[in-house]
């Protein structure tokens, strides 16, 4: 994005924030962001606008998309979180922390796949079947465009992008790794887990869950059928994660 484009984007986001939050909420947000900047913690969030990945793959996955910018109903938006692209280094770390696996033997699923950055990273990591699930039409279309741009670089990878609510997602059979990078709260997470558990009860193949920025990790632990393999953070405590294995029923 050019400097002029970034300036226009900032103005639009400022106007939307004012309309969404009102005067008091907007001033509170400005104060919060100012404290974040002055504390130096803003550096932990700079990856959202780091264009290196997009330049490397000639795609557009940068930036933030707020809920009120998405083309979804108010009902569908309940529990959802805004879009932010995953940091490539964070993704690589998460995959490395899985038990010793051969990526080509697994289907990789990103629930809340946004513009498709994690799908591309999964292909880079060696996964040969990659599925993205995204409920917002605009993000879904952006992902379709981005994946079309990189298909020739990954001729052995099968990409499947589903425009679908996570609560309606039925995973394929076989060895699976599902990633959720905090795209929603427990009101969506729990129904998703229930659907994953239903599949797990029918098969013996390994089934792993990667939960990035795991704000509701206790909700997963409480279900007991998910074995916690690791719970830690990447670089700073602002990037917590947990990795689970679905216990065979």
């Amino acid at each position: 994005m050019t400097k002029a484009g970034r300036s226009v984007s900032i103005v639009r986001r400022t106007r939307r924030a004012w309309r969404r939050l009102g005067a008091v909420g907007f001033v509170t947000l400005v104060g919060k962001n100012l404290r974040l900047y002055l504390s130096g913690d803003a550096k932990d969030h700079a990856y959202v606008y780091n264009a290196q990945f997009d330049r490397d793959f000639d795609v557009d996955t940068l930036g933030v998309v707020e809920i009120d910018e998405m083309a979804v109903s108010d009902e569908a938006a309940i529990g959802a979180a805004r879009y932010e692209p995953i940091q490539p280094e964070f993704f690589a770390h998460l995959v490395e922390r899985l038990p010793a696996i051969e990526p080509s033997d697994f289907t990789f699923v990103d629930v809340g796949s946004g513009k498709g950055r994690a799908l591309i990273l999964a292909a880079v990591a060696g996964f040969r079947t990659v599925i993205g699930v995204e409920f917002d039409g605009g993000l879904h279309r952006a992902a379709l465009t981005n994946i079309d741009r990189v298909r020739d670089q990954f001729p052995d990878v099968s990409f499947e992008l589903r425009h679908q609510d996570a609560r309606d997602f039925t995973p394929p059979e076989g060895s699976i790794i599902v990633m959720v990078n905090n795209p929603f709260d427990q009101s969506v997470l729990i129904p998703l887990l229930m659907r994953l558990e239903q599949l797990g009860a029918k098969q013996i193949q390994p089934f792993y869950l990667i939960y990035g920025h795991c704000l509701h990790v206790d909700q997963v632990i409480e279900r007991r059928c998910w074995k916690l393999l690791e719970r830690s953070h990447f670089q700073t405590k602002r990037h917590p994660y947990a990795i689970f294995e679905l216990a065979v029923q």
Side-chain angles (χ1 to χ4, degrees), residues 217 221 225-232 241-245:
V217 65
I221 294 173
C225 54
W226 294 93
K227 178 183 178 182
L228 179 62
L229 301 180
E230 180 172 339
R231 183 179 183 181
S232 187
Y241 68 87
I243 298 175
F244 296 87
E245 182 176 11

Side-chain angles (χ1 to χ4, degrees), residues 41-63:
D41 289 340
K43 295 178 182 178
D44 290 338
H45 206 243
Y47 66 88
V48 172
Y49 297 101
N50 187 328
Q52 188 59 54
F53 177 88
D54 284 12
R55 287 195 295 265
D56 290 344
F57 290 95
D58 189 28
V59 293
D60 178 13
T61 65
L62 280 183

Side-chain angles (χ1 to χ4, degrees), residues 107 109 111 169 176-180 192 196 207-210:
T107 295
V109 182
V111 181
F169 171 64
I176 299 176
I177 295 170
V178 172
M179 186 179 80
V180 291
L192 170 64
L196 300 181
F207 197 129
Y208 298 106
L209 173 68
I210 299 174

Side-chain angles (χ1 to χ4, degrees), residues 167-187:
R167 289 165 286 201
D168 300 324
F169 171 64
T170 300
E173 296 182 357
S175 301
I176 299 176
I177 295 170
V178 172
M179 186 179 80
V180 291
N181 187 31
N182 192 37
F184 34 68
D185 67 14
Q186 63 267 30
S187 68

